Amino acid sequence: MNKIAEIFDSLDYGPAPEGPDQAIAWLDSRGRRFGHFIDGQWTAPGKTFSADNPATGASLAEITDGTPEDVDAAVKAARAAFKSWSALSGYERGKYLYAIARMVQKHSRLFAVLETMDNGKPIRESRDADIPLVARHFYHHAGWATHLAREFPGHEPYGVCGQIIPWNFPLLMLAWKIAPALAAGNTVVLKPAEFTSLTALLFAEICERIGLPKGVVNIVTGEGDTGAAIVNHPDIDKIAFTGSTEVGKLIRAATAGSGKGLSLELGGKSPYLVFEDADLDSAVEGLVEAIWFNQGQVCCAGSRLLVQESIEEKFIAKVRRRMASLRVGDPLDKSIDIGAMVAPVQVERIRDLMKKGIAEGAHVYEPDGPLPAQGCFLKPALVTNVSPANTLVAEEIFGPVLVAMSFRTPEEAVALANNTRYGLAATLWSENINLALDIAPRLKAGVIWINGTNQFDAAVGFGGYKESGFGREGGREGMAAYLKPSWEKTLKASSPSAAPAKAGAANPLDAAQIDQTAKMYIGGKQARPDSGYSRPVFGPKGELVGEVGEGNRKDIRNAVEAARAASGWATTSAHARAQILYFLAENLDYRRDEFAARIKAQTGRNGAEEVARAVERLFAFAGWADKYDGAVHNAPLRAIAAAMVEPLGVLGIVAPEANPLLGAVALLAPAIAMGNSVVLVPSARAPLSMTDFYQVLETSDMPSGVVNIVTGDGEALAKTLAEHDGVDGLWFMGSAAGSVMVEKASVGNLKQTWTSRGLAYDLSDERFAGDYFLARATQVKNVWVPYGA
């Protein structure tokens, strides 16, 4: 039998190595020693560390470990460049982005080979996925730059953006962050991962070659301390971070109260659901892409296989057969499926997690076959005989390890899929389109792939829910993340209103009447405070005008439980939600004289205008309920992505002290219009307007638990809400110190927060009757659906 016939008979792959010569020549041309790229120039190398090829262990170059002084120089260069760069027309900025895209395409093979040598991923992935997507992002955002003024009127760039990227997609993560930042008119200081800095440095040379103005892009290499210096630098206006959830929490705490913009794209433990009617062979191939792409070093890797019990045995057998044919080896070989892990420390971390999982009862299957004698290689692994509590099921492994469990019903599949602190992505396979489109909205993740996986495009937002972070990259929402309303810079510090004088001694038994204590409103019912105490409400002259319950941690717990039980509000039709908001406005208007009198009793002001504004605001958001929706993106793939606008979930709201009715209603209305259930803490000094308001709720068909009202000290209750893992978002209007406290306390589950930071927000302004709070009450889920031939 001749050689060709033997090949067709055995279907064996021979080696198909990619030459590293050009990448080596570039490294040699730089002397294999790199400083930073600051203000359009290369600094002399400082204290360095080695960038190693994980497939061989050989040193590729020496990289400078950035100091706080290096970061400061880069920030100063970026600040100096910001004025002229942001003043350019969008068309002019777009031309630079276009030039970058063209240069990336022109040198795509160099970038791909260098990326594979530095990172260890197979050349097929860097060549066919990463680098084309890098060029796509710069092309896409060149267009956003051109149309920015038309599409985002009244917005402006943040200023200097600090960007910290991981090692799993070094150049692609750079593009995800730099492209929208420059399109918006920001300047950047970017730190690549210490393991994989080389393509970022090659990109810096591209910026130099196209004549990008000095200081617009600054690349500072280094280890963790360099990133910390960026996060803590006082002259950086926005931080964008991709990396581990643990580090993301530290950044959230470090930036609390600073007013810096913050985007966090963090870890994941994504479910991969296979239903009994799925095309199993296609699902197996999708699974290979989901978990063994880039050696499983992917934040959205489909690392939790959930397969329907009726097909579990058959499907697992197919997976094992497919694993046996996966080729592990030299990532520069184009016939290789699984390359090298990024570094020895990552290999050891994965092995330690595997040992722990096995000790807890897990069974591990690895296919036969040798691993390369040197380098950071691991075999693909399939883990079975686990429960949701097993370490390998709960923790992000970030390696080529697939954990499998089964389910019986679609309801159980959803429960298992959502049983995680993460919420980055999910994949589901089913030939029943009705089932697929029923399951997708119920999965708590920012990206859903139906009968496909790992689909990405610059036109489609990417980002997570829960502890997978917040903010989006790509698409319109990713562009918006690098812009802020222009009027925010005009805000002044709010003047704390003087506490009303108290008449007589503060004896808790002093009360003008038998009982004026307004109860709380939890789960659609009036509820006495757990504390058993009440707090007096005084008028402007110190007279007692009523009492309310003194809310505590248990009251918040009860309110959050009621709000979570009312989660069906999110799936109530937008038309129905709008109608109930109209009812609220109508019934409040019927009682306008009563509410105006209550405002006057508490504040001394004529309350008629405030009531009228509150009615208008309810009407405004009733009108928005069925209009603030998503879009369908036509990505250059055989699919469409439906960008679905979803509520955050349970939203805590601490209303401002001033304007006791309007201040609460202006925040409550957009939250419930978008389908959130709410725990509201009204003005501590004038809470009676909102304890009266629950009578309006009761007469307006508002479902129980959608709105819960807990009275008491705003900052104390805000802390409890911020720490509560059942709360998905928190809005706080209060002091600067209270805002810092809320943002720091929110790190437990990385809930999304908005705080006033002690600034004077006039909620009667019409700018708050639109998307300012609607955007903060929602998150975008992109659902990818196969479409077209």
Short mmCIF file of all heavy atoms in Angstrom, two decimals, residues 111 238 626:
data_model
loop_
_atom_site.label_atom_id
_atom_site.label_comp_id
_atom_site.label_asym_id
_atom_site.label_seq_id
_atom_site.Cartn_x
_atom_site.Cartn_y
_atom_site.Cartn_z
N PHE A 111 1.75 38.05 14.55
CA PHE A 111 1.02 38.12 15.81
C PHE A 111 0.61 36.73 16.28
O PHE A 111 0.74 36.39 17.47
CB PHE A 111 -0.23 39.00 15.66
CG PHE A 111 0.01 40.47 15.88
CD1 PHE A 111 -0.09 41.38 14.85
CD2 PHE A 111 0.32 40.94 17.15
CE1 PHE A 111 0.11 42.74 15.05
CE2 PHE A 111 0.52 42.31 17.38
CZ PHE A 111 0.41 43.20 16.32
N LYS A 238 -11.10 55.67 34.90
CA LYS A 238 -11.88 54.43 34.74
C LYS A 238 -10.92 53.25 34.79
O LYS A 238 -9.81 53.31 34.26
CB LYS A 238 -12.63 54.40 33.41
CG LYS A 238 -13.36 53.07 33.14
CD LYS A 238 -14.04 53.04 31.78
CE LYS A 238 -14.52 51.64 31.45
NZ LYS A 238 -15.56 51.12 32.34
N ASP A 626 -42.52 49.20 28.07
CA ASP A 626 -42.56 48.35 26.88
C ASP A 626 -41.79 48.94 25.70
O ASP A 626 -42.00 48.58 24.55
CB ASP A 626 -44.01 48.07 26.46
CG ASP A 626 -44.80 49.34 26.14
OD1 ASP A 626 -44.25 50.45 26.30
OD2 ASP A 626 -45.97 49.22 25.73
#
